Amino acid sequence: MEASLIIKAIFPLALWLLFASALMHGIRQFRTGWADGPEFVTQCPIRPGGSYTYRFTIQGQEGTLWWHAHSSWLRATVYGALVIRPREGDSYPFTKPKRETAVLLGEWWDANPIDVVRQATRTGAAPNTSDAYTINGQPGDLYNCSSKDTVVVPIDSGETNLLRVINAALNQPLFFTIANHKFTVVGADASYVKPFTTSVLMLGPGQTTDVLITGDQPPARYYLAARAYQSANNAPFDNTTTTAILEYKSAPCASKNCPTTTKPVMPQLPAFNDTATVTAFSQSFRSPRRVEVPTEIDENLFFTIGLGLNKCPKNFRARRCQGPNGTRFTASMNNVSFVLPNKISILQAYQQGIPGVFTSDFPANPPVKFDYTGNVSRSLWQPVPGTKGYKLKYGSKVQVVLQDTSIVTPENHPIHLHGYDFYIVAEGFGNFNPTTDTKKFNLVDPPLRNTVAVPVNGWAVIRFVADNPGAWLMHCHLDVHITWGLAVVFLVDNGVGELQTIEPPPTDLPLC
């Protein structure tokens, strides 16, 4: 699939009182890093009242992606589906569905989400949890005063339909299911997968999953439902459930004239902490056929990921340090808590040789080895802040071990890499052991993704070829974690010739 798109982002002053930027989440952006979107990484934010045109070409991707704001917590409400269909004359690798429906799972606060994150930044505490989840912008029947706007997804007996499920929630992995119906998973993150059947999905924020459903149940109304997968022990979370309605066109009771006492069939959702279901689901993904996984590795990287606690600075009052025991929450990779620049983007500084914006000394391994998923010494709980990148030569074959840590609390982290798809060759629990765990690698048909859900108290291994020059953010897609610094930037050199070199910056690139 190859198609050129031009998308103009406009942020009028009446809508935003802050700067903003937009992201085409999962688009490879070959040589067009200027259109990637994260503020102060590949561009300065779009000023209030300003605009910026994103120009890029889609190559080799089919399926479901999405777009969202990439500035502070604006993406809480600024997001949408991005569907890439087969090129004209080609077809899906499965029977063409009768109809397609995008299902966007979101998260809602009864407050301005920017105020929520600002308060957390001021106090150093965790932000307030959301008040609801949504499906296509609506909370559904189980919340007060929202049933009349519940989303209805049509189906008819005998139909096979395609649902494009996107987790656009800000901070919460979500289970998703439909009462009495099975899913056949056929795609994820704009790549096809070997089909498999399941009754429940789990998507981390940022992930997409394409599924087929068949109208093989008695004509009636059935709930689609989503609620939290909560892997962090003792952390507060939104435990509500959002719903939409799968409605058979031939159902005896249509949505507009159903009595209020006639409720759709409710599915059974997994327990909030059902890691076994998550593991079974994530380990079911395979590529449809044998793939070319990088085997001779040039860059063998080991990144610890997790939370941390900063000691209260001496000049801060107690109200600025409302984390556990008078601390401030933070997060890091390899003990580096990522700090965004604020005067120019990293890509501009990298391409134009501007000093003082970032350093390229991000460590390839944790500075100190420890029992990552055990009882970690408190001396390792406070990371070092910095704007650090890791340099990669063009064409280098890269392996990254992503290791969760039990600092503060272990947690399932959805790690997203901009500018690349990657193969997930293995995942497991405990501390990664290169001697024994390497034997478990799937180098035949691993799934191709852009976001990997690193298991709670565990690890995942990804591989990719650094064939896209630019500055590419790798970060946790729980937005509170990137706010706290759980990120790094890969700095990929240009190769040889025009086709291996990033394009010049566009004339309308926003100014800081």
Side-chain angles (χ1 to χ4, degrees):
M1 177 69 187
E2 182 169 328
S4 295
L5 291 182
I6 298 177
I7 296 177
K8 188 168 186 176
I10 302 175
F11 293 92
L13 184 59
L15 182 60
W16 305 128
L17 299 180
L18 340 147
F19 292 4
S21 62
L23 169 76
M24 310 302 132
H25 180 109
I27 295 292
R28 283 290 313 270
Q29 299 292 359
F30 279 111
R31 302 177 53 237
T32 54
W34 309 106
D36 189 38
E39 65 172 355
F40 292 115
V41 177
T42 58
Q43 67 170 88
C44 295
I46 303 169
R47 293 172 179 268
S51 68
Y52 176 45
T53 300
Y54 293 85
R55 302 170 178 88
F56 54 91
T57 300
I58 298 172
Q59 302 178 56
Q61 294 178 289
E62 288 182 14
T64 306
L65 296 174
W66 60 302
W67 61 267
H68 61 80
H70 212 298
S71 178
S72 185
W73 278 20
L74 287 177
R75 83 167 180 87
T77 55
V78 184
Y79 60 83
L82 184 58
V83 175
I84 309 169
R85 294 192 172 88
R87 97 173 47 239
E88 190 173 352
D90 289 351
S91 60
Y92 296 114
F94 44 82
T95 302
K96 184 178 180 180
K98 178 71 175 180
R99 68 183 86 230
E100 302 179 16
T101 304
V103 178
L104 288 100
L105 309 178
E107 195 169 6
W108 178 263
W109 279 260
D110 289 334
N112 183 340
I114 303 301
D115 292 339
V116 174
V117 68
R118 280 176 172 169
Q119 180 187 24
T121 301
R122 283 194 301 268
T123 64
N128 292 337
T129 59
S130 56
D131 297 291
Y133 302 113
T134 60
I135 296 177
N136 291 358
Q138 298 295 338
D141 286 1
L142 305 186
Y143 298 91
N144 293 331
C145 306
S146 64
S147 61
K148 66 178 182 179
D149 295 317
T150 296
V151 170
V152 175
V153 177
I155 196 170
D156 210 355
S157 296
E159 285 184 357
T160 295
N161 295 344
L162 177 65
L163 301 185
R164 301 179 179 274
V165 187
I166 301 165
N167 186 353
L170 210 65
N171 291 317
Q172 192 62 60
L174 294 169
F175 289 116
F176 176 75
T177 190
I178 303 179
N180 295 8
H181 290 72
K182 295 280 190 180
F183 300 117
T184 300
V185 178
V186 294
D189 293 356
S191 292
Y192 295 117
V193 302
K194 188 175 295 182
F196 66 94
T197 302
T198 180
S199 60
V200 64
L201 314 179
M202 195 293 285
L203 295 89
Q207 293 186 314
T208 73
T209 306
D210 292 346
V211 298
L212 298 174
I213 60 168
T214 300
D216 56 4
Q217 296 299 306
R221 302 165 78 227
Y222 302 85
Y223 274 131
L224 299 80
R227 76 175 186 184
Y229 165 51
Q230 180 64 4
S231 60
N233 291 331
N234 302 317
F237 68 100
D238 180 350
N239 64 1
T240 62
T241 301
T242 180
T243 56
I245 297 171
L246 182 72
E247 182 176 272
Y248 281 72
K249 291 164 60 178
S250 54
C253 175
S255 60
K256 291 185 179 180
N257 56 24
C258 268
T260 56
T261 55
T262 306
K263 287 287 186 182
V265 180
M266 187 69 191
Q268 182 174 355
L269 282 153
F272 294 116
N273 62 350
D274 190 349
T275 295
T277 291
V278 173
T279 303
F281 176 68
S282 65
Q283 293 184 351
S284 297
F285 285 85
R286 297 284 187 275
S287 286
R289 58 192 66 84
R290 188 182 185 94
V291 292
E292 294 184 10
V293 185
T295 52
E296 300 296 325
I297 299 301
D298 302 309
E299 296 278 0
N300 196 351
L301 309 177
F302 188 101
F303 291 174
T304 55
I305 58 177
L307 304 185
L309 296 174
N310 282 333
K311 296 177 182 177
C312 191
K314 292 180 179 180
N315 61 331
F316 276 29
R317 295 182 179 181
R319 64 172 180 265
R320 299 286 308 276
C321 300
Q322 296 182 26
N325 300 315
T327 60
R328 292 176 59 84
F329 272 107
T330 184
S332 68
M333 286 187 173
N334 276 0
N335 202 48
V336 177
S337 186
F338 186 76
V339 179
L340 285 170
N342 58 19
K343 294 182 179 178
I344 193 171
S345 75
I346 293 174
L347 181 57
Q348 287 173 282
Y350 180 48
Q351 290 294 306
Q352 299 169 17
I354 300 172
V357 178
F358 66 88
T359 60
S360 56
D361 57 347
F362 186 87
N365 295 279
V368 177
K369 291 185 178 181
F370 56 96
D371 182 3
Y372 308 114
T373 56
N375 188 14
V376 183
S377 168
R378 289 297 180 106
S379 65
L380 299 173
W381 283 39
Q382 179 159 325
V384 177
T387 308
K388 296 177 181 289
Y390 190 89
K391 292 197 73 172
L392 294 172
K393 291 182 179 180
Y394 183 92
S396 58
K397 300 174 179 64
V398 184
Q399 173 175 292
V400 185
V401 177
L402 296 162
Q403 173 71 62
D404 186 32
T405 69
S406 57
I407 297 176
V408 182
T409 180
E411 190 167 1
N412 183 290
H413 294 276
I415 302 296
H416 172 55
L417 175 59
H418 291 237
Y420 289 90
D421 291 326
F422 49 73
Y423 291 109
I424 305 174
V425 299
E427 61 179 53
F429 293 97
N431 296 335
F432 176 76
N433 185 322
T435 302
T436 57
D437 290 330
T438 302
K439 299 174 184 177
K440 305 173 186 176
F441 285 7
N442 175 8
L443 302 180
V444 178
D445 60 351
L448 189 65
R449 304 294 299 263
N450 63 53
T451 305
V452 56
V454 178
V456 54
N457 243 335
W459 51 267
V461 182
I462 65 172
R463 290 186 177 185
F464 64 95
V465 178
D467 57 1
N468 193 11
W472 304 108
L473 188 66
M474 173 184 269
H475 66 95
C476 183
H477 223 282
L478 305 178
D479 271 33
V480 64
H481 289 181
I482 189 174
T483 300
W484 289 338
L486 211 168
V488 66
V489 170
F490 282 116
L491 305 164
V492 183
D493 290 335
N494 286 323
V496 178
E498 180 182 1
L499 296 181
Q500 296 181 3
T501 301
I502 190 170
E503 294 180 1
T507 57
D508 62 341
L509 187 71
L511 299 174
C512 287

